[in-house]
Amino acid sequence: MVRRVAIVGAGVSGLASIKCCLDEGLEPTCFEKSDGIGGLWQFTETPQKGRIGVYRSVMTNTSKEMTCFSDFPFPEDCPNYLRHSALLEYLRAYAKHFCLLDYIRFQTTVCSIRKHPHFTATGQWVVDTETNGEQTSEIFDGVMVCSGHYAEINLPLDSFPGIENFKGRYFHSWEYRDQKGFEGQKVLVVGAGNTGGDLAAEISRTAAKVFLSTRSGAWVISRISEAGWPVDMAWTTRFYELIEKLLPEGTIYKLMAKKMNRWFNHENYGLIPVKSNSWTSLILNDELPSCILCGTVTVKPNVKRFTDTSAIFEDETVEENIDTVIFTTGYSATFPFLEESLRDACRSSTSLYKHIFPPHLEKPTLAFVGFIVLAGPILPAVELQARWITRVFNGSSELPPMSRLISEVAKRKNALLKKDKTRIRFVSYMDEIAACLGVKPNVPLLFLSDPKLAWMVFFGPCTSYQYRLTGPGKWREARGAILTQWDRVLRPLKTRVVEDSPQPATVPHWLKALALPIFLGAKTILKVVKRELQVKSKVT
C-alpha cells in the first residue's frame, strides 16, 4: 500500500493534493522550485525563465463560489471575480488553515522520476531532486504530478513566414506584464483566446491602434449574465447539462449562438467562429466588444506573412508600420523529469484514464492532477481528482483491470476527436470522478428527502460543496454552504442597500416545472433499460 507520496509543484493542484494525502493518512512531500506557493498565480514584475506567470491586470474567469475548494469557501466580502493577488491570498489562507506548508520543500527542482527496479512488485518510484546545488535521491510509494497544463510557451514562428525580417518588436504573451511602453504604437495581437482578448482591450487604451488577429474566431461572453449574476453560476447547472444531453447537438448550437448574439452580433464584429457549431473558441471579456465598436481594436484574419514593417493577412489586406507583435499562442504541457517511455505516453491528457492515470502501468501509483482542459473552474476539479487519487493510493478505491483502462482511454479519445472537442464538460466530468469516489449527489433521492436542497443542487450552480454532501470526506457544513451561496454573491455588492435584492431566477419557472418530471422520468427509464440489458447479457 502507498504511504509516502511525492507531489510535484505547490500550485493549486499541489496544495489540494497535500491536503487530500493528509486526509487519507498518507505522507506527502511536495517539491516546489520557487520560493512560494500558488504556481502561475504568483505575479512577478519581470518574467522568470522556466516559470509561467500572470500579467498585472489578470482577473479570474470563474466566480468565487464556483472556484473555491469544497470545504473552504471564500470570505463573504470577497468580490465575485478576483484579482490574481486575491486568489493567491485565498491559497495562502487555505495552506495555513490546513497546515500544508510544513510538507513543502521550496526552491527544490525535480530532476527525474523513474520506476524503481522492483516497480512491478512494489509500484515505487525513484525521485531525484536538487536544492541549492545539492542533489538528493529518494524512494516514494506514489507520485502526483501537479506541474500544471501550462509548462512551456508555444511560439510557432515557423507558421509566420517573414517574422525573422520584421524590424519591430515581437514576443510571446508570457513576457507581457502591463500596457506601459505601448503608448502611441500600432500593436498586432495574434490569437483571440482569453489572453489575446484581454491584451488587445487593455493595450488599446493607450496605443494608437490595436489589431487582433484570429485564425478561427471566437464566441465572446461577459462575466455578467442576465440580472447581473455571475455567468458561470447561471450556466453551469445540472439542469442545463440535462437539456444538452436530451436535445440534438445542432439544436443546442443554434440556441447557444442565439443567446451569444443577444449581447452583440459576432458576425458583424468579425468574431464569428469559422466552425459556427464549435464552442472550443469561447472567451470571457467584458471590454472587447466595446473596443471593437469604438474602433480602438480591429479584428483581422490570420496572418499570412510578415514584411520588415507590415503584416499581410489571409484576406490579402495589409497593415503597415506595425511596431509590436504579441503572440498569444498558448502553452504546452511537458514533463521533462519523467523517464522517456512515460513522457511519450503522457503527452496528452486524453492518453490517461479519466485524464489522470497512465493506463499501461502495472501499478496505479502515478497520477496527473490538473492536466485537463475543462469548460469550468479548475480548483474544484483538481481537488476532486486528488481526493480520488489518494483513495486509490491507500487502497480504499480500486481501478479496473489494465485492459479495461486501455479500452476506455481509446474510446474517450475517439469520441473527443469525432466531436472535435478540446474542452471537457464541467458537470459531467465532476460527476464522473465523484461516482468513482462515491460522493456524487443522488438528486432523485434528494428530492424525496430534502426537496429544498435538491432544488438548489439540480437547478442551481454546480458548486463544489455538492461533492461534500455524502460519502468519503463528507463535510457537515456543505448543505448550509449550498443554501447560502447566492447570499455570498450579493454580500460584496450591497454596499449601498436600497431594498431587498431579488432572488436569482436563472431558469424560467415554467421550464423548471416542465423539466423536473422529465428528469425523474428519464432516470427511471435509464434504470429500466440498464436492468433489461443486464438480464439479456446474463441470458446470452
Side-chain angles (χ1 to χ4, degrees):
M1 185 179 72
V2 172
R3 294 302 301 175
R4 297 192 69 211
V5 179
I7 298 171
V8 183
V12 167
S13 301
L15 293 175
S17 296
I18 297 171
K19 179 183 178 295
C20 292
C21 280
L22 296 174
D23 289 345
E24 293 298 330
L26 303 175
E27 302 169 15
T29 301
C30 180
F31 302 103
E32 169 55 48
K33 61 184 177 182
S34 73
D35 58 359
I37 64 171
L40 63 84
W41 292 102
Q42 289 187 65
F43 173 78
T44 57
E45 290 290 341
T46 56
Q48 296 181 6
K49 188 176 180 181
R51 178 176 166 186
I52 305 301
V54 293
Y55 38 97
R56 192 182 305 278
S57 61
V58 159
M59 302 285 292
T60 60
N61 284 335
T62 55
S63 62
K64 65 177 182 180
E65 289 300 302
M66 295 297 299
T67 301
C68 70
F69 290 121
S70 60
D71 56 356
F72 195 74
F74 279 93
E76 287 188 351
D77 56 353
C78 263
N80 284 284
Y81 291 93
L82 302 106
R83 290 182 177 275
H84 57 81
S85 56
L87 183 57
L88 184 59
E89 282 304 311
Y90 170 78
L91 295 176
R92 287 171 175 162
Y94 178 78
K96 182 179 179 181
H97 181 78
F98 293 109
C99 304
L100 307 182
L101 297 179
D102 295 340
Y103 302 90
I104 305 174
R105 298 183 192 175
F106 292 105
Q107 296 183 318
T108 300
T109 301
V110 176
C111 303
S112 73
I113 297 175
R114 61 188 188 278
K115 292 179 182 177
H116 188 275
H118 302 298
F119 177 83
T120 304
T122 65
Q124 292 181 320
W125 299 87
V126 180
V127 180
D128 296 328
T129 59
E130 182 177 324
T131 308
N132 298 324
E134 183 178 338
Q135 294 188 348
T136 305
S137 183
E138 297 176 76
I139 297 174
F140 289 90
D141 301 306
V143 174
M144 300 174 75
V145 179
C146 303
S147 51
H149 197 77
Y150 307 105
E152 291 188 357
I153 62 172
N154 177 41
L155 188 55
L157 295 180
D158 293 342
S159 301
F160 300 95
I163 188 66
E164 66 279 2
N165 300 318
F166 181 66
K167 292 182 179 179
R169 182 187 178 199
Y170 65 90
F171 58 92
H172 190 276
S173 55
W174 167 77
E175 297 183 44
Y176 180 84
R177 285 299 177 268
D178 53 44
Q179 67 210 60
K180 294 177 182 176
F182 298 99
E183 295 86 348
Q185 289 193 5
K186 293 179 76 174
V187 180
L188 170 60
V189 177
V190 178
N194 279 309
T195 301
D198 283 353
L199 268 56
E202 182 169 282
I203 294 171
S204 71
R205 297 170 191 162
T206 54
K209 186 69 176 179
V210 174
F211 303 97
L212 178 61
S213 170
T214 173
R215 182 189 300 272
S216 56
W219 291 107
V220 183
I221 61 176
S222 171
R223 289 176 173 82
I224 306 172
S225 70
E226 296 175 12
W229 302 105
V231 68
D232 56 349
M233 293 186 73
W235 287 18
T236 313
T237 71
R238 295 177 183 278
F239 170 73
Y240 280 129
E241 188 85 1
L242 176 63
I243 295 298
E244 286 189 27
K245 289 178 180 178
L246 293 177
L247 294 179
E249 282 195 5
T251 303
I252 291 294
Y253 289 136
K254 288 179 182 178
L255 291 172
M256 290 299 292
K258 186 177 181 179
K259 190 176 183 69
M260 299 283 189
N261 285 324
R262 283 179 187 166
W263 186 22
F264 69 95
N265 187 300
H266 285 66
E267 185 175 358
N268 292 344
Y269 281 58
L271 284 169
I272 190 77
V274 174
K275 295 181 180 179
S276 58
N277 65 342
S278 173
W279 302 110
T280 55
S281 302
L282 181 67
I283 67 174
L284 266 73
N285 197 297
D286 298 290
E287 295 183 63
L288 184 59
S290 178
C291 293
I292 296 171
L293 190 64
C294 295
T296 57
V297 173
T298 299
V299 179
K300 303 292 290 186
N302 191 45
V303 177
K304 186 176 181 180
R305 64 182 183 276
F306 286 95
T307 69
D308 55 349
T309 60
S310 64
I312 303 172
F313 299 91
E314 288 184 345
D315 61 356
E316 298 301 334
T317 57
V318 180
E319 295 296 343
E320 304 281 0
N321 303 316
I322 301 294
D323 297 294
T324 303
V325 179
I326 305 176
F327 291 96
T328 63
T329 44
Y331 300 86
S332 57
T334 58
F335 308 102
F337 45 80
L338 293 178
E339 57 185 43
E340 190 172 350
S341 60
L342 275 172
R343 200 160 58 235
D344 292 339
C346 303
R347 290 187 182 277
S348 168
S349 69
T350 57
S351 300
L352 306 175
Y353 179 65
K354 300 194 184 297
H355 304 273
I356 298 174
F357 292 99
H360 295 85
L361 290 178
E362 299 91 337
K363 299 285 185 179
T365 55
L366 174 68
F368 291 78
V369 188
F371 184 34
I372 185 174
V373 180
L374 202 62
I378 193 64
L379 269 75
V382 301
E383 180 194 38
L384 202 56
Q385 287 180 332
R387 289 172 66 187
W388 182 39
I389 292 165
T390 50
R391 287 185 66 79
V392 170
F393 279 3
N394 71 8
S396 299
S397 181
E398 290 186 2
L399 297 186
M402 184 188 296
S403 59
R404 184 177 161 191
L405 298 183
I406 296 172
S407 174
E408 288 199 20
V409 166
K411 185 178 179 181
R412 182 188 290 267
K413 186 182 292 187
N414 290 334
L416 290 173
L417 288 173
K418 189 175 181 180
K419 294 183 178 181
D420 191 26
K421 288 186 177 180
T422 55
R423 295 188 184 188
I424 310 300
R425 285 179 174 176
F426 178 77
V427 178
S428 294
Y429 184 74
M430 292 289 283
D431 277 356
E432 183 179 349
I433 302 303
C436 297
L437 181 60
V439 297
K440 180 183 174 182
N442 188 329
V443 182
L445 184 61
L446 269 181
F447 271 108
L448 296 175
S449 62
D450 194 339
K452 183 179 180 181
L453 177 62
W455 191 266
M456 292 290 285
V457 168
F458 183 63
F459 289 110
C462 184
T463 46
S464 59
Y465 318 123
Q466 295 188 9
Y467 302 101
R468 291 283 183 180
L469 288 170
T470 186
K474 179 180 178 180
W475 183 44
R476 65 180 182 179
E477 297 179 43
R479 182 182 185 276
I482 294 170
L483 296 179
T484 57
Q485 56 197 0
W486 292 109
D487 297 332
R488 289 190 295 278
V489 171
L490 291 175
R491 179 64 182 272
L493 302 177
K494 302 184 86 171
T495 53
R496 177 178 172 266
V497 180
V498 178
E499 57 182 84
D500 290 339
S501 298
Q503 286 299 307
T506 56
V507 180
H509 292 301
W510 67 268
L511 202 52
K512 290 179 181 178
L514 179 65
L516 187 56
I518 293 175
F519 167 73
L520 295 174
K523 287 284 185 180
T524 304
I525 292 170
L526 287 174
K527 287 181 180 179
V528 171
V529 171
K530 186 177 180 181
R531 194 180 303 118
E532 288 293 328
L533 290 174
Q534 290 174 343
V535 171
K536 287 182 179 180
S537 63
K538 289 180 180 179
V539 172
T540 54

